[in-house]
Amino acid sequence: MMKSSQEYITELRHNIQEVTVDDLQVALMQPEVVLIDVREHEEFTKGHIATAVNFPRGVLEMKLTEHPLVSHHCDPQLALDDLASRDIYLICRSGGRSALAARSLENMGHKNVYSVAGGMAAWESHQYDIVS
C-alpha cells in the first residue's frame, strides 16, 4: 500500500533528530552552528532567521558547495568535511521539508543534522526575531 506524503514524513521523523524552536534559539548562540532554510526563495524573502542561508529543498544537496563556509575556502573538500562535522539545523515552513532534507544530508555523511519541528510557523508563533 502506498504511503501518503504525510505518513512518510511522520515515519521519517522517528529516524532523524528533531529539535524545537526553543532548542534552535539556544543553539544559535554558538557561532559554529549552521542554519539552512530549505524553503523556496520567495518564502525566504518574506521573513527568515538572520543567520540562515537559503538553499531550497529541491537543490540543497547541489548547493552545499555554495555555502559561505565552503565557497570561500581554498580547499573545497576540506571545507565540506568541516561542514559535515558541524551542527546543521534545517528549517522550513512547518517541518516537513526540513525532515526530508535532514535525512538527505545524513545519507550524504553529515552526522549532526537537526530538523526544526514546526518550522518558521513555530518560530514566528514564539515571536522570535525574523528579518526580511
Side-chain angles (χ1 to χ4, degrees):
M1 183 165 108
M2 293 287 296
K3 296 176 189 172
S4 71
S5 60
Q6 199 56 42
E7 289 171 325
Y8 176 68
I9 291 170
T10 298
E11 182 180 296
L12 183 67
R13 283 186 169 134
H14 295 292
N15 297 304
I16 62 167
Q17 298 180 82
E18 263 194 324
V19 296
T20 67
V21 292
D22 294 327
D23 295 330
L24 175 60
Q25 178 72 358
V26 170
L28 290 175
M29 294 179 196
Q30 305 301 318
E32 66 278 355
V33 164
V34 173
L35 175 60
I36 300 174
D37 189 319
V38 297
R39 295 176 299 156
E40 295 299 317
H41 182 71
E42 296 77 25
E43 295 172 280
F44 182 80
T45 59
K46 290 179 182 174
H48 59 274
I49 300 168
T51 58
V53 173
N54 181 224
F55 294 148
R57 168 69 196 104
V59 294
L60 171 65
E61 298 82 357
M62 284 77 66
K63 292 281 190 178
L64 284 179
T65 57
E66 295 178 23
H67 192 282
L69 292 172
V70 178
S71 66
H72 294 98
H73 200 282
C74 58
D75 184 341
Q77 187 56 53
L78 185 61
L80 279 173
D81 291 345
D82 177 58
L83 184 63
S85 70
R86 292 176 182 250
D87 290 347
I88 299 175
Y89 289 79
L90 301 163
I91 195 163
C92 63
R93 184 183 56 81
S94 62
R97 285 176 283 180
S98 61
L100 293 166
R103 169 55 79 207
S104 183
L105 292 185
E106 288 173 351
N107 287 339
M108 291 177 71
H110 295 270
K111 302 291 183 220
N112 305 312
V113 181
Y114 306 92
S115 174
V116 180
M120 287 300 295
W123 184 267
E124 290 175 7
S125 75
H126 280 74
Q127 299 180 346
Y128 289 137
D129 292 339
I130 60 170
V131 296
S132 52

